[in-house]
Amino acid sequence: MFKYWNFFGYSLSSLLSVNLELHNLLLPLGLSFYTLQTLSYIFDVYLGKIKPERHLGLFCLYVSFFPQLVAGPIERSRTLLPQLKSLELPTLYQFRYGLLLIVWGFFIKLVIADNLSASINSVYFGKEYFPFWVYWFIGALVTLKIYCDFMAYSEIARGVGMLFGVKLTLNFRRPLFATNLRSFWQRWHISLTRWIGDYIQIPLLRRYPTQPHRSVVTIMTLVIIGFWHSASWNFILFGLFHGMVMVIWSPIAKNISILFEGSFAFSSIFGRFFLAIVLMSSAPMFYIQDTSILFNILKNMLLFDLFEPTQISSIHGKVMLIKALFGFILLFLYSFFNEFKQQDFIVNLARSSSNRRWCEMLFIVFSTLFLGSFVHEPFIYFEF
């Protein structure tokens, strides 16, 4: 209510032409995250999955454990509380692993995510008009920026937690390698999607197991995920769009698979291509809260017109894009290794020889210092 009061008050005031009192209070940092974390504890105690924690200090530490307090991952009491009860000094491996996660997280944030901002903002919020393909390209950059920005914080949080001997939840599992939208959401912001699935979606599906109820529940689940981010219409539109696409995706993909005799290779290529279209087209819905600007951008993405070469010159941050490209190549190689080798590169590096470990870590550190953007830019999820 504290977070959404102004949204509903403003919407009802505009719809019914009445004056509702709005507040001007600042939202507490990390409100959306520790609210869900506390609710999961309450639900699990009520359902008998865990016993209530009698130690007030431990419970407060569980709610306010600082590495993941402001932007996740959203921890469950049955995984975090036992670790807090038996805290010990981290092992040498945990210290190395945590430090490497922190260094890698800052590299992703400063070299990739922050270097993309100038180009994105010059297209979305500038006065110039661009050809349609530029808006699609920027949509891809926005998707990459949001992913890198949020994953960077999650990796830093996991790293800091590891320095205390606490293993936090893996929040991203290479979502851009997914072959369909359902798989994407199983890999993206894992702690949130599992929370929504366990406490909202699965109970509703058990109660309404048949169509069209299942489709309605799917759409409602994605709308809730979108609305969780912020009290704004663009996030509702984002969730609604993803929910509707997910509902129509399955029968289309099934028919295509039958048409091409179940060819896994073709289904995978088609799935990744269609997923890229969905992510690029929905990226403005996540990034732009001003609905007038948002709808104008979406309209421009559908106008297949020609362009003058001079229009491209007004895009800012071209040198920063080159720096981000270097970071993206390293991220792709890292993700490719983890996805198809089924190994964790950071884990292997933490267990490797000290010479290799120091060389690769210093390479990442100096790459961050020379290529990173150090203009103050908070993590995107700090807003939520």
Side-chain angles (χ1 to χ4, degrees):
M1 185 174 181
F2 182 77
K3 178 177 178 179
Y4 297 100
W5 175 261
N6 279 2
F7 171 79
F8 288 113
Y10 181 79
S11 300
L12 288 174
S13 297
S14 302
L15 181 65
L16 304 176
S17 299
V18 295
N19 291 323
L20 295 177
E21 185 175 351
L22 307 178
H23 70 73
N24 294 316
L25 302 176
L26 293 176
L27 292 178
L29 198 61
L31 175 65
S32 298
F33 290 90
Y34 63 74
T35 299
L36 294 192
Q37 190 157 308
T38 306
L39 283 175
S40 70
Y41 169 83
I42 296 171
F43 294 154
D44 288 348
V45 170
Y46 176 78
L47 296 172
K49 295 181 178 180
I50 61 169
K51 295 181 180 180
E53 177 55 53
R54 302 297 182 183
H55 194 293
L56 179 61
L58 278 174
F59 176 75
C60 292
L61 181 59
Y62 158 72
V63 174
S64 60
F65 187 56
F66 80 92
Q68 46 81 229
L69 175 65
V70 294
I74 303 165
E75 294 296 331
R76 303 291 182 89
S77 54
R78 56 179 176 268
T79 58
L80 183 55
L81 271 173
Q83 295 187 75
L84 297 178
K85 288 180 180 179
S86 57
L87 274 180
E88 297 179 355
L89 290 175
T91 63
L92 182 59
Y93 162 75
Q94 288 177 320
F95 183 83
R96 292 198 300 254
Y97 182 54
L99 189 60
L100 286 169
L101 282 175
I102 293 171
V103 170
W104 178 240
F106 276 112
F107 173 84
I108 296 171
K109 165 65 174 172
L110 297 173
V111 176
I112 306 178
D114 288 1
N115 271 327
L116 296 175
S117 297
S119 299
I120 293 170
N121 293 337
S122 67
V123 173
Y124 278 174
F125 305 113
K127 297 180 180 180
E128 294 83 0
Y129 170 77
F130 298 93
F132 76 97
W133 66 266
V134 171
Y135 294 103
W136 285 96
F137 174 69
I138 294 298
L141 295 187
V142 170
T143 301
L144 181 62
K145 175 180 171 57
I146 296 169
Y147 169 53
C148 290
D149 192 281
F150 192 20
M151 186 184 71
Y153 181 86
S154 296
E155 296 297 88
I156 294 170
R158 290 176 61 226
V160 174
M162 193 62 70
L163 296 182
F164 289 89
V166 175
K167 184 179 180 181
L168 298 177
T169 302
L170 179 68
N171 219 13
F172 290 87
R173 197 174 65 252
R174 302 170 298 282
L176 300 185
F177 279 82
T179 56
N180 56 64
L181 191 58
R182 187 175 299 276
S183 174
F184 172 83
W185 279 106
Q186 290 171 347
R187 295 161 171 254
W188 177 279
H189 203 340
I190 297 171
S191 61
L192 173 64
T193 53
R194 285 182 178 173
W195 196 102
I196 299 293
D198 291 345
Y199 298 114
I200 298 177
Q201 185 180 27
I202 293 176
L204 286 175
L205 289 176
R206 287 173 180 166
R207 186 175 181 86
Y208 305 103
T210 58
Q211 292 290 7
H213 301 99
R214 295 182 65 88
S215 296
V216 173
V217 170
T218 298
I219 294 173
M220 186 185 72
T221 300
L222 269 297
V223 170
I224 291 173
I225 289 176
F227 198 43
W228 169 86
H229 286 86
S230 183
S232 178
W233 284 107
N234 65 297
F235 288 107
I236 296 177
L237 180 62
F238 173 83
L240 181 64
F241 177 76
H242 274 248
M244 294 177 66
V245 170
M246 191 175 292
V247 166
I248 66 175
W249 185 305
S250 296
I252 294 176
K254 184 178 180 180
N255 291 332
I256 289 177
S257 179
I258 294 173
L259 181 64
F260 289 90
E261 300 178 349
S263 172
F264 174 78
F266 183 84
S267 299
S268 177
I269 293 172
F270 170 80
R272 286 191 168 96
F273 174 77
F274 191 54
L275 177 61
I277 297 298
V278 171
L279 295 180
M280 287 188 290
S281 57
S282 62
M285 304 175 196
F286 191 99
Y287 195 77
I288 305 171
Q289 295 197 23
D290 189 315
T291 52
S292 62
I293 298 177
L294 171 60
F295 289 132
N296 187 55
I297 295 295
L298 294 176
K299 180 190 71 174
N300 291 337
M301 293 176 74
L302 301 176
L303 296 178
F304 297 91
D305 55 350
L306 299 177
F307 67 96
E308 295 291 335
T310 54
Q311 292 173 307
I312 310 302
S313 63
S314 59
I315 299 178
H316 299 168
K318 295 184 182 65
V319 174
M320 300 174 77
L321 280 181
I322 296 174
K323 295 178 180 179
L325 176 62
F326 170 80
F328 172 73
I329 292 172
L330 289 188
L331 175 62
F332 176 81
L333 294 175
Y334 165 82
S335 302
F336 187 89
F337 178 88
N338 289 2
E339 180 74 13
F340 296 104
K341 292 290 187 179
Q342 294 297 311
Q343 299 179 35
D344 190 318
F345 181 82
I346 301 294
V347 170
N348 290 349
L349 188 58
R351 291 172 175 167
S352 66
S353 64
S354 58
N355 288 338
R356 178 197 167 190
R357 186 171 59 252
W358 277 106
C359 285
E360 295 193 22
M361 186 172 70
L362 289 175
F363 172 75
I364 296 174
V365 169
F366 284 112
S367 297
T368 304
L369 292 175
F370 285 113
L371 302 177
S373 171
F374 291 92
V375 177
H376 176 65
E377 186 172 342
F379 287 95
I380 293 175
Y381 270 70
F382 280 9
E383 300 177 13
F384 309 139

